[in-house]
Amino acid sequence: MPLAVIPTPVGNLEDMPPRALRMLAEADIIACEDTRTSLPLLRHFGISVPLVSYHAHNERERAGQLLAMLGEGKKVALVSDAGTPGISDPGYEIIKRCIEEGIGITVLPGPTAFVPALVMSGLKTHPFLFHGFLPDKTGEREKTLQALAALDCTLIFYVSPHKAEKHLGHCAAVLGDRRAALVREISKIYEEARRGTLSELARSVEGGVRGELVLVVDGA
């Protein structure tokens, strides 16, 4: 049986597509980033399937176990806490191993945070580069931003709320004070898009900010 890679909502549960619900209900086992996060989602839709954790710290070991199940003909579904597995979330290892061992993969289209953030930003939507999270270490982050600075495409980053002020300020210092948008809590009650220059956005989060953040930055 092919591995089913299934996106889950980044906010509103109504974003869960019918095909994804059907495939989750039909699975023999669901591998999820955090069982405590996935269980309420599944209960909400009346789905009762055994869960197993699949996260950054056990990805290699768990991938082997899941491959064995797939080899036995079992239906294995892979989800992350929110969005599409493999996009700044666990999933790469099992997908790579499936390809190497000739096991099929079905990836469902569905929710992801950076696409609505890009459209909502008001910046050029094509071409763009999705980078994901910047490195935590200052030197590594500096090197990454310098490598991106000359690109004329729109840049997209995921940002942790407790690192927002520091990372936005660093982006302004290395990339220049470009136009940008900080999109928060996509598809949730407090969804908002803050637009301005990178330095203005950095000042806007000086008092702290909550929620899931996507930073969209104008190209060079």
Side-chain angles (χ1 to χ4, degrees):
M1 299 297 295
L3 172 70
V5 181
I6 300 178
T8 54
V10 297
N12 196 315
L13 293 182
E14 292 179 6
D15 295 338
M16 194 71 180
R19 183 183 173 207
L21 291 174
R22 176 181 60 78
M23 293 184 74
L24 287 171
E26 293 175 352
D28 294 306
I29 193 164
I30 299 172
C32 47
E33 187 176 1
D34 189 333
T35 56
R36 296 167 298 180
T37 300
S38 297
L39 189 57
L41 170 73
L42 297 171
R43 282 177 174 166
H44 177 83
F45 291 108
I47 296 172
S48 179
V49 172
L51 304 181
V52 63
S53 64
Y54 180 87
H55 49 70
H57 302 295
N58 72 351
E59 196 168 3
R60 287 181 179 273
E61 176 187 355
R62 191 70 79 191
Q65 297 170 0
L66 296 175
L67 285 167
M69 294 179 188
L70 288 163
E72 295 169 0
K74 292 184 178 178
K75 296 180 179 179
V76 177
L78 175 67
V79 301
S80 60
D81 287 349
T84 301
I87 303 297
S88 291
D89 279 328
Y92 169 76
E93 184 68 26
I94 180 79
I95 291 169
K96 177 173 71 75
R97 294 276 299 276
C98 281
I99 293 169
E100 290 172 349
E101 299 192 20
I103 296 173
I105 308 163
T106 297
V107 181
L108 274 63
T112 188
F114 73 83
V115 172
L118 172 63
V119 176
M120 201 182 303
S121 72
L123 300 176
K124 185 173 66 172
T125 57
H126 180 78
F128 69 86
L129 183 147
F130 170 68
H131 184 275
F133 289 99
L134 285 165
D136 287 335
K137 294 183 178 179
T138 303
E140 293 178 5
R141 190 166 63 250
E142 177 94 12
K143 186 176 181 180
T144 297
L145 289 171
Q146 287 176 347
L148 298 172
L151 299 179
D152 62 0
C153 58
T154 301
L155 306 175
I156 308 174
F157 306 95
Y158 285 162
V159 182
S160 298
H162 63 282
K163 301 173 185 175
E165 181 182 353
K166 179 172 66 176
H167 284 202
L168 282 163
H170 202 173
C171 285
V174 178
L175 300 177
D177 204 13
R178 306 181 184 183
R179 292 187 306 153
L182 188 65
V183 185
R184 187 176 75 90
E185 294 289 84
I186 291 169
S187 190
K188 299 177 184 176
I189 294 173
Y190 298 107
E191 177 182 278
E192 68 167 341
R194 304 180 185 186
R195 302 177 183 89
T197 64
L198 282 167
S199 63
E200 288 171 342
L201 293 176
R203 288 194 295 272
S204 80
V205 297
E206 284 179 354
V209 63
R210 294 181 178 181
E212 303 295 326
L213 306 173
V214 184
L215 175 64
V216 186
V217 183
D218 211 1

